[in-house]
Amino acid sequence: MADGAGIAAAALERAFRDEWTTVVAALSRRLGDLQAAEDAVAEAFTAAAVAWRRGGVPPNPGAWLTLTAWRKAVDQLRRDRPVARHGLDGGALADPGEGIDAEQEGPVLEDERLGLIFACCHPALALEVRVALTLRYAAGLTTREIAAAFLLPEPTIAQRLVRAKRKIREAGIRFGVPAADMLPARLAGVLAVVYLVFNEGYAATRSAAELVRADLCEEAIWLGRLLHRLLPADPEITGLLALMLLHHSLARRAPGPYQVQAAIAALHAQAPRFERTDWPQIAVLYGELARRAPSPVIEINRAVAVGMADGPRAGLKILQPVLAAGPLAGYAPLHAAHADLLDRAGETAAATAAWARAIEATANGPLRDELERRAARRLAAGTAPAAGSGPAGEIPG
């Protein structure tokens, strides 16, 4: 029960932070002033605590908060000085969301959140300032939480944030997504900030007691997920998120089958060329995977890896029990792995028969065509496998 309550509380806190950052992003873009946006949002949340207790939560809490915050910001601007001095004309004072239908609302909010992240990571700001701003306004951490995360005094972080917000306002840094020609370089800067947060968590350089700062790792992963949701087609965002998730799962020191498979995939991805693949380590990992989640398919993959690490005869020895058992007689990857190992062991006739079985058992057209080309190449090359072509049978376990 306690665990369930804790999970629910954490989810509620994250939802609150998510809503807070969304509203801050919306106001920052219109005001060009992060401090003014933050002040107005604080007033809106205070008003919500009173109004919602009395009348209930509205159907669209985010829209209510954004509208309330905007009206409070405009009231403050009118009290302080003429609106024109803020660079806002009369039309800019219209309520946010006016003229935007329900279908447009989601993309507009996503653009505003992206704009806030790019502003927080602007190259005109010092790196440590970008990190603090991103954790405060993109992830929604409090000043105290950021100070605790980096083991710095809270006033130090508070002053850093105040100076940064002033610089953003005075330098006219835009809260928007950069133009297409500038986007790759600016996005690289954003990803560098997120990865720096993750690395600090993973290395825990400021901690005297902890090997890994899981809280910082999880904040970086959350930011990575947010960026991936906002820009799902960007391969570098996908790569960074995958990298952080992989490291974070292995850092828990409680490996399971999926973590072992992730480690295997990472070794494949890290190899600059096929010939440089760390097959001995992959073979060890497959042995661990076979121990934790034994299956004939894992044994096939282990045979391929051992065949690459220790020679084809070693691989054939592992594969033989799977071949003899019979249930996978119609399984094409088994016969492809067998054929490749036989070829490299110099058993030409047996390899030819195994290639034929692999081709016959393959229903996928493009894969069957590839196996036929590979079989033809081996004959043209005098049965030697094509250089760098790789083992034929390794498949997801």
Side-chain angles (χ1 to χ4, degrees):
M1 181 72 74
D3 287 345
I7 292 171
L12 184 62
E13 180 188 358
R14 174 58 74 187
F16 174 85
R17 285 163 53 180
D18 202 46
E19 199 68 69
W20 185 86
T21 59
T22 300
V23 181
V24 168
L27 263 68
S28 298
R29 181 183 63 83
R30 305 196 83 206
L31 294 170
D33 187 331
L34 195 48
Q35 185 63 61
E38 185 177 6
D39 291 344
V41 172
E43 288 190 54
F45 271 84
T46 300
V50 175
W52 295 0
R53 188 180 297 114
R54 184 174 58 246
V57 178
N60 189 336
W64 190 99
L65 287 165
T66 301
L67 181 58
T68 302
W70 175 247
R71 288 174 174 170
K72 290 187 177 296
V74 170
D75 288 345
Q76 185 62 44
L77 289 177
R78 284 172 170 156
R79 283 195 301 269
D80 287 353
R81 46 190 160 167
V83 170
R85 290 180 60 187
H86 288 269
L88 301 173
D89 57 27
L93 298 184
D95 286 339
E98 224 174 71
I100 298 174
D101 60 33
E103 290 185 0
Q104 293 175 303
E105 184 178 8
V108 168
L109 291 176
E110 290 180 357
D111 281 349
E112 288 170 341
R113 294 196 73 172
L114 268 178
L116 176 60
I117 293 171
F118 277 107
C120 290
C121 295
H122 196 279
L125 302 169
L127 183 57
E128 67 272 14
V129 171
R130 288 179 244 166
V131 170
L133 283 170
T134 301
L135 288 174
R136 176 71 184 114
Y137 297 105
L141 270 66
T142 65
T143 304
R144 178 175 297 176
E145 288 171 330
I146 299 169
F150 286 95
L151 303 180
L152 291 171
E154 187 176 348
T156 300
I157 295 296
Q159 291 168 11
R160 190 173 291 177
L161 290 170
V162 168
R163 288 194 296 268
K165 287 182 284 189
R166 186 185 306 124
K167 180 166 185 176
I168 287 174
R169 183 182 66 249
E170 293 174 352
I173 292 174
R174 292 182 59 252
F175 291 85
V177 179
D181 60 331
M182 298 178 62
L183 184 58
R186 291 288 305 280
L187 183 58
V190 171
L191 297 182
V193 168
V194 174
Y195 195 42
L196 187 150
V197 173
F198 181 81
N199 271 340
E200 176 56 34
Y202 196 73
T205 57
R206 296 176 182 269
S207 176
E210 295 176 287
L211 182 63
V212 174
R213 295 291 309 279
D215 54 344
L216 279 178
C217 292
E218 286 159 9
E219 289 303 331
I221 289 170
W222 185 85
L223 287 166
R225 290 187 193 279
L226 173 62
L227 287 168
H228 188 261
R229 189 170 77 241
L230 298 175
L231 293 171
D234 187 89
E236 276 295 272
I237 293 175
T238 304
L240 175 60
L241 179 57
L243 177 64
M244 293 190 297
L245 288 170
L246 174 62
H247 278 298
H248 198 45
S249 67
L250 297 177
R252 293 180 183 274
R253 302 293 188 266
Y258 292 113
Q259 293 178 66
V260 176
Q261 290 182 73
I264 292 169
L267 287 170
H268 280 299
Q270 288 168 359
R273 296 189 306 277
F274 171 77
E275 296 81 3
R276 299 278 300 278
T277 304
D278 189 351
W279 287 109
Q281 182 63 27
I282 291 174
V284 169
L285 287 170
Y286 268 122
E288 179 64 17
L289 186 59
R291 186 181 70 81
R292 292 177 176 275
S295 79
V297 172
I298 297 297
E299 284 299 282
I300 295 170
N301 287 333
R302 188 164 77 92
V304 171
V306 170
M308 296 300 297
D310 301 329
R313 294 289 176 192
L316 285 168
K317 184 177 180 181
I318 293 171
L319 202 61
Q320 193 55 47
V322 182
L323 289 163
L328 296 183
Y331 188 54
L334 168 62
H335 299 297
H338 190 207
D340 183 76
L341 289 167
L342 288 169
D343 254 341
R344 292 194 293 112
E347 299 187 26
T348 306
T352 300
W355 281 116
R357 288 193 296 273
I359 292 167
E360 183 181 0
T362 301
N364 180 277
L367 182 55
R368 185 174 58 250
D369 292 343
E370 172 57 28
L371 289 175
E372 288 174 344
R373 283 193 294 270
R374 189 158 184 181
R377 283 200 303 269
R378 63 180 282 278
L379 291 174
T383 76
S389 59
E394 196 183 0
I395 50 176

